[in-house]
Amino acid sequence: MPIPLGRSTFAMNRPPSVLASAAVGGKKEGEDPMAQWFDEIHNDTTFGEKTWEKAESRFQQRACQLALKKAKIAPEQVKLLLAGDLLNQCISSSYGVKELMIPFFGLYGACSTMTEALALASLLGDNGVIDPILAVTSSHFCSAERQFRYPLEYGGQRPPTAQWTATASGAALVGKSSKPPYLKAVTIGTIQDLGVHDINNMGAAMAPAAAATLLTYFADTGTQPHQYDGIFTGDLGQVGSKLFYQLLAQQQVNVTSIHQDCGCLIFDAKTQDVHAGGSGCGCAASMGCGYLMRQLEMGKLHHVLFLATGALMSTVSCQQGCSIPCISHLVYLSTDPTPVFQGG
Amino acid sequence: MQYFYVFLVGGAFCAIGQVLIDYTKLTPARILTSYVVAGVILGGLGVYQYLVDFAGAGATVPLTGFGNLMAQGVREAVDQYGLIGALMGGFTAGSAGLAAAILFGLLAALVFKPKDKS
Amino acid sequence: MKLTPQEYDAMIQKTVPPTQSGRTIPAAFLVGGLICVLGQGLTDLYLLFLPQQQASTLASVTLVFLSALFTGLGLYPKLAKFAGAGTLVPITGFSNSVTSPALEFKSEGFVLGLGAKLFTLSGPVIAYGVITSVIYGVIYYFTGLGG
């Protein structure tokens, strides 16, 4: 059973492993320095489908298939699938995974879905009853644009704070193993809303959620940033990352030397015209299940806090003038299986 | 020289629109709506016609020109049919532009496929 | 976070990169101006064999056609990224706002997709334009304003 540390942090008693993980990306994702960490790049972002929604489903299906193949586990052996995405009623997930016939819980955490799924997989998988668990999420630039913003052919200018929804998917299979990386602790985030209304500045809206969850984790575990060699936030982008540092600095916490943001990693801001960086469930999912997991597997990183961030507004709430509620969930990934206890 | 005024006035309308995009939170749809409404009001006040006489397409091509056209249409319809003309003129004057936009929009939708951006 | 929304907003304002108005405004001016010059050129061309009113209307219709074509080819959004309001404010922007949802929502069918969504962006323009014109018509009937 997970051991509670404070109110919202739980340490795993017998930390489950990430058995295998896979990342799939679209054309733009294949044109940046991160391309090598994707298992597959699909230059045809329609995936041969007639609609963008179906295309996104296929990305998610492909990420699941690749993760299962790497782990040499058949879909029938998987006990639970945790999946979510950005589209209304999470249709990318439902249509993407239906053929795998794995018992399914749908999640909605917007762009925080990857760590939401990993956190749930850790908590549910700790006692070994549900093993293995597959966690997957995706986003597609085209399906997100047409749901949240404008039609693709609409001529508009993006402000400098806007972020580009990644066309990508990431999947991770969580189960008992003696192979790192291990999922050692999770912090479940609370909703943070500091009154940001601008849907073209999601990084600013989400930065307080990431900062709050990280500070909660440090307080609950009694650990310090220097005990980790990597802190990966979801998709704060360039603007959100700067605000994240400022918010942490107010609490005398400095993570600048070990922090990386999936939104800043996934695209090259100078050459790819993405303004403040990448976003979407698939951004943190593909960076987490691709780049980050490989770094842990290769032993280049050993103690990593991974916090994807999500903006939980809808087009309705935006048009009704509501501010943007945001959330961030944290998972602690480590190459060392020793459980975490209070005080380190 | 006429073409210079066309460029200058048309460009100025767009530059004002860009200032609204850059410095206010107005969405493009709100800017377009404001332009048409402003065009109807300026046309109704009778001042827009001076700009049309001066700059031709520089004043008629921006959406304010579409608003001015509606105001003109309403005036003509009221002159001809009385008060009921107030309900007729706007659509009558804008009909060619609207019908063309719908027709070509529909045709483009039939012929082309939406494309990913990168 | 022990921070009020006002304090956080101040922090955001200090952090966000400034809009590049030094580039965007001249770009809007240039492209918008040129679209109007094209409109004038077309009007003058049609004037060779049509009366003023019809030549002007046909010029607008031509611009609407060109915009729909460029939208379908995916070129209009590329131009708009550079030109901003320069491609929004002319009638070509209106045409783009009709064509782009028509194209995009074709996947939801011809009636509720294409047909209904055709007006998602341009609907307010038509609605408020017509309403203002009706109000003006009533005022004109009673006062003769602008006549």
Side-chain angles (χ1 to χ4, degrees):
Chain A
M1 291 290 280
I3 306 148
L5 307 173
R7 177 176 161 213
S8 47
T9 302
F10 299 89
M12 300 311 121
N13 196 22
R14 295 162 53 216
S17 294
V18 177
L19 301 175
S21 57
V24 184
K27 180 167 178 281
K28 197 180 181 82
E29 291 67 26
E31 288 166 353
D32 70 299
M34 283 289 137
Q36 56 173 311
W37 306 107
F38 283 91
D39 296 86
E40 274 184 9
I41 292 290
H42 291 269
N43 285 328
D44 176 12
T45 51
T46 68
F47 231 110
E49 296 286 349
K50 282 211 172 80
T51 69
W52 300 117
E53 288 74 14
K54 281 186 187 165
E56 183 179 338
S57 292
R58 291 290 299 277
F59 271 91
Q60 201 168 116
Q61 184 187 47
R62 198 66 201 128
C64 289
Q65 288 168 343
L66 287 167
L68 290 170
K69 193 176 146 200
K70 278 190 188 177
K72 300 193 179 65
I73 284 178
E76 300 76 52
Q77 295 170 272
V78 181
K79 297 284 193 335
L80 177 63
L81 176 65
L82 299 167
D85 59 88
L86 288 175
L87 301 185
N88 292 338
Q89 284 73 41
C90 295
I91 52 170
S92 314
S93 302
S94 314
Y95 288 93
V97 303
K98 68 176 180 182
E99 278 147 31
L100 295 170
M101 296 296 281
I102 302 171
F104 169 70
F105 279 143
L107 306 178
Y108 188 79
C111 311
S112 74
T113 306
M114 194 66 228
T115 51
E116 181 182 14
L118 284 174
L120 281 166
S122 310
L123 293 166
L124 295 169
D126 184 38
N127 62 12
V129 176
I130 310 177
D131 180 6
I133 301 172
L134 184 58
V136 62
T137 177
S138 65
S139 57
H140 195 302
F141 175 78
C142 300
S143 61
E145 281 295 299
R146 71 197 226 102
Q147 177 172 312
F148 289 102
R149 296 189 182 92
Y150 293 106
L152 293 168
E153 266 68 24
Y154 182 66
Q157 258 176 343
R158 307 165 74 83
T161 52
Q163 289 172 246
W164 188 279
T165 307
T167 302
S169 175
L173 191 66
V174 175
K176 290 286 185 238
S177 163
S178 55
K179 191 172 88 55
Y182 301 95
L183 286 155
K184 297 220 295 185
V186 307
T187 298
I188 304 167
T190 50
I191 292 175
Q192 302 288 319
D193 186 346
L194 278 181
V196 177
H197 285 79
D198 185 359
I199 57 158
N200 284 312
N201 195 358
M202 302 288 249
M206 296 190 294
T213 301
L214 187 63
L215 291 168
T216 304
Y217 174 81
F218 285 140
D220 286 349
T221 56
T223 56
Q224 305 274 334
H226 68 79
Q227 291 169 263
Y228 302 89
D229 49 16
I231 292 176
F232 283 72
T233 49
D235 37 21
L236 297 178
Q238 291 170 354
V239 175
S241 294
K242 283 183 194 149
L243 289 162
F244 177 63
Y245 299 151
Q246 290 175 46
L247 290 166
L248 291 177
Q250 289 193 335
Q251 312 294 321
Q252 283 78 47
V253 172
N254 185 346
V255 297
T256 45
S257 59
I258 49 169
H259 171 257
Q260 288 185 287
D261 182 69
C262 297
C264 297
L265 286 172
I266 192 167
F267 297 120
D268 184 339
K270 287 196 186 73
T271 60
Q272 291 192 297
D273 192 36
V274 292
H275 300 273
S279 67
C281 303
C283 177
S286 62
M287 290 297 99
C289 296
Y291 175 68
L292 171 57
M293 294 299 178
R294 297 300 94 74
Q295 302 304 304
L296 287 158
E297 286 164 9
M298 294 188 302
K300 292 197 174 164
L301 291 172
H302 296 282
H303 302 283
V304 173
L305 301 176
F306 179 26
L307 320 79
T309 50
L312 303 175
M313 80 300 162
S314 78
T315 49
V316 173
S317 72
C318 282
Q319 283 169 3
Q320 293 179 345
C322 302
S323 55
I324 303 171
C326 294
I327 197 150
S328 176
H329 304 291
L330 177 149
V331 291
Y332 170 26
L333 289 151
S334 172
T335 51
D336 167 22
T338 326
V340 182
F341 294 104
Q342 182 115 39
Chain B
M1 204 56 195
Q2 168 69 8
Y3 279 85
F4 179 69
Y5 293 136
V6 172
F7 177 71
L8 208 63
V9 172
F13 272 113
C14 296
I16 295 168
Q18 190 65 40
V19 170
L20 295 175
I21 291 179
D22 285 359
Y23 294 101
T24 69
K25 294 280 170 211
L26 289 178
T27 55
R30 282 172 196 242
I31 293 173
L32 281 192
T33 307
S34 315
Y35 265 67
V36 170
V37 170
V40 176
I41 294 170
L42 291 173
L45 293 170
V47 292
Y48 203 83
Q49 194 55 42
Y50 294 113
L51 208 54
V52 175
D53 295 340
F54 173 66
T60 57
V61 170
L63 270 189
T64 38
F66 192 68
N68 176 53
L69 203 64
M70 285 175 140
Q72 266 180 6
V74 157
R75 223 163 21 232
E76 283 163 21
V78 170
D79 285 340
Q80 200 173 349
Y81 305 104
L83 191 54
I84 191 77
L87 289 171
M88 300 157 70
F91 266 122
T92 311
S95 58
L98 280 179
I102 294 170
L103 172 70
F104 297 134
L106 191 106
L107 288 176
L110 292 178
V111 175
F112 298 103
K113 267 170 59 176
K115 278 175 279 293
D116 198 351
K117 286 184 196 172
S118 57
Chain C
M1 296 283 106
K2 294 182 200 75
L3 201 67
T4 65
Q6 289 74 24
E7 286 166 341
Y8 188 53
D9 189 53
M11 194 190 271
I12 294 171
Q13 297 312 324
K14 268 187 254 162
T15 309
V16 296
T19 47
Q20 296 171 313
S21 295
R23 188 194 65 76
T24 56
I25 295 175
F29 191 97
L30 179 74
V31 176
L34 287 176
I35 291 173
C36 294
V37 167
L38 176 64
Q40 187 66 47
L42 289 166
T43 312
D44 290 346
L45 178 70
Y46 298 143
L47 271 176
L48 298 177
F49 42 89
L50 283 175
Q52 172 70 39
Q53 183 81 40
Q54 287 167 39
S56 172
T57 304
L58 193 59
S60 293
V61 169
T62 310
L63 288 177
V64 165
F65 168 75
L66 288 173
S67 170
L69 179 68
F70 277 61
T71 301
L73 291 169
L75 299 173
Y76 204 82
K78 289 201 173 94
L79 182 63
K81 202 167 78 179
F82 169 75
T87 47
L88 174 75
V89 168
I91 193 141
T92 50
F94 179 75
S95 174
N96 170 249
S97 77
V98 174
T99 305
S100 58
L103 188 53
E104 185 67 56
F105 292 100
K106 186 173 54 165
S107 60
E108 274 96 309
F110 284 98
V111 176
L112 291 177
L114 196 160
K117 297 274 174 68
L118 191 77
F119 295 108
T120 39
L121 295 163
S122 57
V125 178
I126 300 168
Y128 290 104
V130 167
I131 287 164
T132 317
S133 80
V134 172
I135 295 170
Y136 167 62
V138 173
I139 296 171
Y140 175 68
Y141 178 78
F142 287 108
T143 68
L145 175 79

